[in-house]
Amino acid sequence: MFKVKTMASRFVISLLLVLLIATSVLAGQKHIFVAIGDGMGIEQIGLLQYYNEHVFDAKTNMTSIMKDAVIGIVRTGALDTPVTDSVAASTALATGQKTNTGMVSMKPDGTKLTTVFENAKKKGYITALITTDMVVGGTPASFAAKAKSRKEYDSIAEQYIAMGVDYIIGGGMMHFVPEKEDKGKKIAGRKDGKDLLMDAKNKGYTVVTKLSDFEKLEKASKLIALFSDKEIPFANADRDPTAIPSLQEMTEKFIELVSKENKPFIAVIEGARIDHANHNNDAAATLEETRDFDGAVGAIYNFYEKNKSNTTVIITSDHSNGGMSFTCYKEKEKTICPTYEDLHNFKRIPFSFEKALKTLESIYKGIKSGNPNMSDEEAYTKAVEQLLDEHLVGLKLSVEDIKALRTKKVNLVHQYQPQPSVLGRAYFPMIFTSWATSYHTATPVLSLSFGKGSEKLKGYIDNTEIAKILFSLVD
């Protein structure tokens, strides 16, 4: 009888030990999301909320989940200036230390900084970089590479493969494949002749460059998915949804794939082109890019809702940009303010300013080709008139505006993007959106945090404090 009890006790103890070990393994399988709206300030989030509500009758994820978030106000300055760039800000987020603008996870004296991805890899974490920028852009690069200059794109791409970043999704294919010629025309690529995609395949990566192949993926423990040579095109009609996924779709596919791996992971997900649209003072593109980022936030939060016990989510920005405001103006002593119906006017802008200017250049070259004796000024004016008639319907440009577009010069020291800024100012009476600058600003940004560690990101914080939480989570 004593032996039976002893055997039974041993069985129960063994079973409890197995359950305890299993529980501790599952508890250790942490999921960490860092979602970065590049250049996204509270002004973009606020305007998006109105835009979604009154144009699409839809909710905005970031404002909907805010009531459950730990809210922080984040100081973003770099080591050398309060007005940071993306790479210095992201170095702070990735390493917990400040550096000068332009430097990738490296001190000004050349000292290489340890990134949270390096520590995560040592602990067996899956790592992921997902962006609408080139994947070798400043923000993702800071988590997985070291460089004196953010423009060392080819080297950054090699460092990703060497580190073994598990999921790399976005644009920037030209930095992974060799330069080549097709019918006498050079196709952008690496000048050193290296084919990193082939190297990656040999190291066990699944490599896709077509949306149809991306959508069909059911399993991939290591993935490189690149959909454009440079950045992913802007969301407002520039991007072909049958060929290039949105950030939300990239995020959803990543979650689908990584959920099958049963391993801890840390993912950096960047809405990069919010920043690019802000630089261009292109409010419609800014809204659509922020809307896409918000869709990715929705996908992340859905995952968090199902896995609260072991998931941490941090939603923030690297810096603010542009000083955007949705506001009023005065005409003939009368103050005119936007109505909610005026929010629909953003949809009247058919594509990004970037595409508008490329279209204008194409029209101009066509006119000059057919009329070689026509002066440049006359041909350009005709090209502008055609652009407005056929594409930018309702926009009015003055003689001074057309001259600024043609000469690429504006008498404003805070505008380094003269052509887009002309369009941004000209659209003001239609969309009621003004810009203080085309540069980054030192304005603090928002952070929304959920899960373990988030309680320490409350109130006014420095961006380096976010990194400290990330390091504590993976250690």
Side-chain angles (χ1 to χ4, degrees), residues 141-277:
S142 299
F143 286 85
K146 318 287 170 66
K148 290 183 179 179
S149 169
R150 63 184 297 171
K151 294 182 179 179
E152 296 174 29
Y153 301 124
D154 288 0
S155 170
I156 290 166
E158 288 188 64
Q159 290 181 62
Y160 287 177
I161 306 300
M163 175 187 273
V165 177
D166 299 283
Y167 293 83
I168 303 169
I169 307 173
M173 195 188 314
M174 62 183 287
H175 298 290
F176 289 80
V177 295
E179 183 181 66
K180 61 182 180 181
E181 284 194 14
D182 183 23
K183 297 177 182 177
K185 184 180 179 181
K186 279 191 176 182
I187 298 175
R190 298 174 62 96
K191 295 188 182 299
D192 61 11
K194 293 181 180 179
D195 189 337
L196 299 189
L197 295 186
M198 184 58 68
D199 292 345
K201 286 180 182 179
N202 293 335
K203 291 182 178 180
Y205 281 87
T206 298
V207 175
V208 298
T209 59
K210 293 181 179 179
L211 177 58
S212 56
D213 294 333
F214 184 66
E215 291 173 335
K216 291 174 187 174
L217 284 174
E218 294 183 359
K219 184 171 177 61
S221 56
K222 296 180 80 67
L223 172 68
I224 298 178
L226 303 174
F227 302 101
S228 60
D229 284 337
K230 295 183 179 180
E231 303 89 352
I232 298 295
F234 282 114
N236 58 333
D238 290 19
R239 185 185 306 162
D240 179 358
T242 67
I244 297 176
S246 66
L247 184 65
Q248 178 178 343
E249 290 168 329
M250 295 181 201
T251 302
E252 288 170 343
K253 177 56 73 171
F254 163 71
I255 290 172
E256 176 192 332
L257 295 172
V258 78
S259 297
K260 297 174 182 178
E261 295 302 312
N262 197 28
K263 291 181 180 179
F265 66 79
I266 177 169
V268 172
I269 298 170
E270 183 199 18
R273 305 227 67 191
I274 301 168
D275 187 52
H276 302 167

Side-chain angles (χ1 to χ4, degrees), residues 37-54:
D38 199 312
M40 183 184 71
I42 188 71
E43 59 271 33
Q44 278 81 22
I45 299 171
L47 184 54
L48 177 67
Q49 199 277 333
Y50 282 125
Y51 184 60
N52 275 339
E53 182 180 350
H54 293 279

Side-chain angles (χ1 to χ4, degrees), residues 51 55-56 236-237 282-285 287-288 341-353 356 387-396 426-432:
Y51 184 60
V55 177
F56 298 99
N236 58 333
D282 186 347
L287 275 174
E288 291 299 335
E341 189 62 29
D342 286 321
L343 289 159
H344 288 265
N345 288 343
F346 288 106
K347 299 299 290 181
R348 292 174 61 188
I349 303 173
F351 39 57
S352 72
F353 291 175
L387 178 72
L388 301 187
D389 288 343
E390 296 180 1
H391 301 287
L392 307 185
V393 178
L395 180 64
K396 295 178 181 179
Y427 264 115
F428 177 67
M430 184 189 295
I431 60 175
F432 294 87

Side-chain angles (χ1 to χ4, degrees), residues 325-388:
S325 59
F326 191 57
T327 186
C328 309
Y329 67 92
K330 183 166 282 190
E331 185 175 75
K332 296 179 181 179
E333 300 306 311
K334 182 181 179 182
T335 298
I336 300 173
C337 290
T339 66
Y340 291 107
E341 189 62 29
D342 286 321
L343 289 159
H344 288 265
N345 288 343
F346 288 106
K347 299 299 290 181
R348 292 174 61 188
I349 303 173
F351 39 57
S352 72
F353 291 175
E354 183 178 281
K355 186 171 181 178
L357 291 167
K358 288 179 180 178
T359 303
L360 174 59
E361 188 65 22
S362 177
I363 294 170
Y364 167 71
K365 287 180 179 178
I367 291 172
K368 280 294 289 182
S369 176
N371 303 273
N373 296 326
M374 185 180 290
S375 70
D376 291 348
E377 184 175 350
E378 184 182 358
Y380 201 89
T381 300
K382 286 186 177 295
V384 170
E385 291 171 352
Q386 186 176 332
L387 178 72
L388 301 187

